Amino acid sequence: MRDMTEPAITEELIAAHGLSPDEYARILEIIGRVPTFTELGIFSAMWNEHCSYKSSKIHLKMLPTTGPQVICGPGENAGIVDIGDGQAVVFKMESHNHPSYIEPYQGAATGVGGILRDVFTMGARPIASMNALSFGEPSHPKTRQLVHGVVEGIGGYGNAFGVPCAGGEVRFDPAYNGNCLVNAFAAGLADADKIFYSAASGVGMPVVYLGAKTGRDGVGGATMASAEFDDTIEEKRPTVQVGDPFTEKRLMEATLELMATGAVISIQDMGAAGLTCSAVEMGDKGGLGVRLNLNAVPVREPNMTAYEMMLSESQERMLMVLRPELEAEAKAVFDKWDLDFAIVGETIPEDRFVIEHDGAIKADLPLSKLSSEAPEYDRPWVPTPAAEPLGDVPRVDPVDALKALLVSPNYCAKAWVYEQYDTMVMADSARIPGLGAGIMRVHGTDKALAFTSDVTPRYVQANPVEGGKQAVAEAYRNLTATGATPLATTDNLNFGNPEKPEIMGQFVGALDGIGQACRALDMPIVSGNVSLYNETDGKGILPTPTIGAVGLIATPDEMIGCDVRDGHVALLVGETTGHLGQSALLSEVFGRTEGDAPPVDLDAEKRHGDFIRDNRAWINACTDLSDGGLALAAFEMAEAAGVGLCLDSDDSAFLFGEDQARYLIACSFDKAEALMIAAGRAGVPIQSVGKFTSDSVRFSNTASAPLADLSALYRSAFAETFA
């Protein structure tokens, strides 16, 4: 069956496709012969880490994925959650780390394009995006180029497509010097009875190719994302795709219009591993085979081989199974939007994946085996050793310590970043980035949705279980602080090389913590992505399991505003012991990453979250306490309102400790009294810690600085470093 124009299958070629000798032996066993070059490419695409989750699958099964609010959990293009009144929110987070490091603008842009397609493929119109970005230290020679390229790529694609950015996070740490992280999130709205899935059904149904033409961009991209970087990185540039947001916008409108015709049986976007992955997934979920004729595939480059067409990751493409009687209507929609519409194959009853090109069979494989027989590894892992206790932390002037945080790229205002993103398009943004969770109104209703993305990688490194818990707990608090009821989460699990037992140990520990918190806080995981092999020259990133979360604000009066005024009392909810292990203070002021992550009491998180939501009528403004503790949270609240602040303490541990399950509330004196009484009844710790007043930031009566001076530092630091 081997075409003499194709390369011979050698050990080197097998290794270049990311397949181990054992995996190749399994392929020989499945098909009973040597694969063709195209077949080898198909197995490589389906069995790499990015598509098969072979190192993570057994552990992912432990996560909670169901609940009364969940319409569709993991396994589809995106997760779906009920928001009442026959409406659903569809959302997912995904990584584009490796492409963004190689080619920052296009890598980040196509990351945004891919996640938007995941959402509208299910019949939802995107209403919000977020991004979580991790870069190396600011002084590293590559960081500035990456920051500029990635931010411009996200803005360039998202702004042109026309979806508002609701929020996100940006961090810097030397661990990301050789491997930045770009995690993209998108959410859309759909009618709960008009959702589209990817499982094919019916024999002899046409398989239709939709969207942009296929080129050679991205061939082998998913395989590249399943390996570490080394000094050959420049050679990988051709594996990064090029995005076109205007084509994608047309593709979305055409897809949503097509769905309304009733012609769509199933639909799948072409993401990683392109035509291969989308065809296999559709066939496998429907228990059908697929036959493709590649001569029918719209191409934009001459002389493309079957191998290239099957593995191309050209953007803005979909694959669908169509009701044949509605072919003319379906084609008319795509002609109207000036997009390709081509019947490229059909569903068949046999369990085969047959690829024809130029009259020859280029691949003939058992389709279900490509998916179901993908390797599943229980890789060896060792638990992360307990952190050494934290040594003495010298007392520090609170103003000096606050200034050190305010000028750090990790904690200063990120307006330079989010002002490059369109945050107001569609006119439903109720709260733009920079003030905790973002809020989008659900158009034409009284409802709104809150969005946040959270993780503290230092915590996960020190204690994966508590760090995993904390990422979910912080997302829960960020949603709660807006008045929203948390609904569900999506995760983007970024780790180093899973073949190292200590890295695998971080992964297993973090998942344990995430699972515990999702159960306790009723925030099931409904979608997500695993990104492994985030290493360069053997040095891994900090473990970064990003949690994206969505909450519901059912009526306008449930929303907690940002109304801080002169004379408001500052109330602290939750216990403060002054935990400084792995804190921002320790890192930024003393250059130390020591001690344990703060412990997370999930019962307290739930109780304190319920208390905030039950008593939202008494709360003028609210924020959770996380990195930087009370001092940073209170400053951010005061600064946003343009009001000074007087905190009653000057103790470093009390001001900058990062104990969990805590909120800071601003309200009038009368409301503070009512909250105190309610907290006493609910068994929730609460104390007055100062008030918002005057035009300075004061700690006890020992240290102070003008608010205007601190605000100028906070607002200018990022641009001064990177602009």
Side-chain angles (χ1 to χ4, degrees), residues 69 115 158 202 314 360 398 412 447 457 486 646:
Q69 69 274 48
I115 199 71
S314 297
C412 65
K447 295 182 292 205
C646 179

Side-chain angles (χ1 to χ4, degrees), residues 11-336:
E11 285 180 15
E12 290 76 25
L13 191 67
I14 294 162
H17 280 75
L19 292 161
S20 70
D22 287 351
E23 288 168 353
Y24 183 68
R26 180 72 188 113
I27 292 171
L28 294 180
E29 200 179 308
I30 289 170
I31 63 175
R33 56 176 169 79
V34 171
T36 65
F37 181 52
T38 303
E39 288 175 334
L40 185 73
I42 288 171
F43 270 109
S44 160
M46 291 303 299
W47 286 15
N48 64 49
E49 195 70 59
H50 190 84
C51 295
S52 74
Y53 295 93
K54 57 191 178 188
S55 300
S56 56
K57 203 181 288 177
I58 63 163
H59 301 290
L60 294 172
K61 289 173 184 168
M62 316 265 207
L63 291 172
T65 57
T66 55
Q69 69 274 48
V70 177
I71 296 173
C72 172
E76 279 289 338
N77 286 300
I80 309 175
V81 176
D82 190 334
I83 59 168
D85 310 313
Q87 290 180 298
V89 59
V90 178
F91 63 95
K92 185 181 182 187
M93 188 173 239
E94 207 162 69
S95 60
H96 236 223
N97 306 336
H98 292 73
S100 300
Y101 188 75
I102 300 164
E103 182 52 75
Y105 184 97
Q106 290 299 350
T110 51
V112 174
I115 199 71
L116 288 167
R117 269 196 315 283
D118 277 336
V119 167
F120 70 73
T121 305
M122 302 203 68
R125 183 173 285 279
I127 62 156
S129 67
M130 289 193 292
N131 51 83
L133 312 176
S134 304
F135 299 104
E137 54 199 325
S139 59
H140 187 272
K142 201 157 165 78
T143 301
R144 186 184 159 85
Q145 176 216 346
L146 286 170
V147 169
H148 274 262
V150 165
V151 170
E152 283 165 22
I154 291 170
Y157 201 103
N159 298 353
F161 181 87
V163 66
C165 178
E169 46 184 353
V170 186
R171 73 176 55 81
F172 298 86
D173 189 279
Y176 305 103
N177 280 348
N179 199 124
C180 61
L181 301 183
V182 175
N183 294 175
F185 169 100
L189 285 175
D191 290 341
D193 59 353
K194 295 190 181 75
I195 289 163
F196 289 80
Y197 298 99
S198 58
S201 65
V203 172
M205 297 294 161
V207 174
V208 185
Y209 172 112
L210 306 168
K213 289 181 171 39
T214 292
R216 288 187 170 90
D217 40 350
V219 173
T223 305
M224 170 272 297
S226 305
E228 290 183 29
F229 284 151
D230 51 29
D231 52 12
T232 63
I233 186 164
E234 281 302 314
E235 296 167 18
K236 295 186 169 78
R237 195 175 292 274
T239 59
V240 179
Q241 317 89 347
V242 176
D244 174 359
F246 299 106
T247 301
E248 176 119 337
K249 179 78 170 169
R250 294 198 324 268
L251 181 63
M252 175 186 75
E253 294 298 350
T255 303
L256 295 175
E257 195 172 318
L258 177 72
M259 288 167 166
T261 66
V264 178
I265 296 175
S266 66
I267 190 160
Q268 175 79 14
D269 98 288
M270 288 195 221
L275 192 51
T276 294
C277 200
S278 51
V280 169
E281 283 187 11
M282 284 171 85
D284 187 56
K285 284 176 184 164
L288 293 166
V290 174
R291 179 186 291 272
L292 295 178
N293 174 10
L294 297 187
N295 289 77
V297 170
V299 292
R300 62 165 190 261
E301 297 183 50
N303 306 320
M304 284 189 72
T305 64
Y307 178 93
E308 288 170 330
M309 280 191 255
M310 291 307 295
L311 297 190
S312 162
E313 294 184 4
S314 297
Q315 297 292 291
E316 293 85 43
R317 303 180 303 157
M318 320 272 266
L319 200 64
M320 77 160 180
V321 178
L322 174 74
R323 295 191 196 283
E325 67 275 15
L326 292 170
E327 183 190 321
E329 288 93 324
K331 186 172 183 319
V333 170
F334 274 73
D335 288 349
K336 176 183 127 181

Side-chain angles (χ1 to χ4, degrees), residues 246-439:
F246 299 106
T247 301
E248 176 119 337
K249 179 78 170 169
R250 294 198 324 268
L251 181 63
M252 175 186 75
E253 294 298 350
T255 303
L256 295 175
E257 195 172 318
L258 177 72
M259 288 167 166
T261 66
V264 178
I265 296 175
S266 66
I267 190 160
Q268 175 79 14
D269 98 288
M270 288 195 221
L275 192 51
T276 294
C277 200
S278 51
V280 169
E281 283 187 11
M282 284 171 85
D284 187 56
K285 284 176 184 164
L288 293 166
V290 174
R291 179 186 291 272
L292 295 178
N293 174 10
L294 297 187
N295 289 77
V297 170
V299 292
R300 62 165 190 261
E301 297 183 50
N303 306 320
M304 284 189 72
T305 64
Y307 178 93
E308 288 170 330
M309 280 191 255
M310 291 307 295
L311 297 190
S312 162
E313 294 184 4
S314 297
Q315 297 292 291
E316 293 85 43
R317 303 180 303 157
M318 320 272 266
L319 200 64
M320 77 160 180
V321 178
L322 174 74
R323 295 191 196 283
E325 67 275 15
L326 292 170
E327 183 190 321
E329 288 93 324
K331 186 172 183 319
V333 170
F334 274 73
D335 288 349
K336 176 183 127 181
W337 288 98
D338 195 22
L339 291 163
D340 276 295
F341 176 101
I343 293 176
V344 294
E346 61 175 354
T347 57
I348 55 178
E350 303 84 15
D351 178 23
R352 310 298 305 167
F353 189 39
V354 183
I355 310 296
E356 292 177 40
H357 188 226
D358 292 342
I361 302 284
K362 295 292 184 177
D364 184 353
L365 296 168
L367 185 141
S368 61
K369 300 282 195 244
L370 288 165
S371 195
S372 63
E373 294 283 325
E376 205 168 295
Y377 294 127
D378 186 358
R379 296 200 183 275
W381 60 276
V382 294
T384 302
E388 296 287 322
L390 178 63
D392 280 345
V393 179
R395 193 176 171 83
V396 49
D397 178 278
V399 170
D400 291 347
L402 182 60
K403 281 180 177 172
L405 295 184
L406 300 185
V407 299
S408 158
N410 281 312
Y411 304 111
C412 65
K414 303 297 192 304
W416 184 88
V417 174
Y418 61 75
E419 282 173 359
Q420 296 186 51
Y421 307 147
D422 193 334
T423 56
M424 298 305 284
V425 62
M426 301 169 80
D428 278 317
S429 308
R431 186 179 296 178
I432 60 169
L435 290 163
I439 304 175

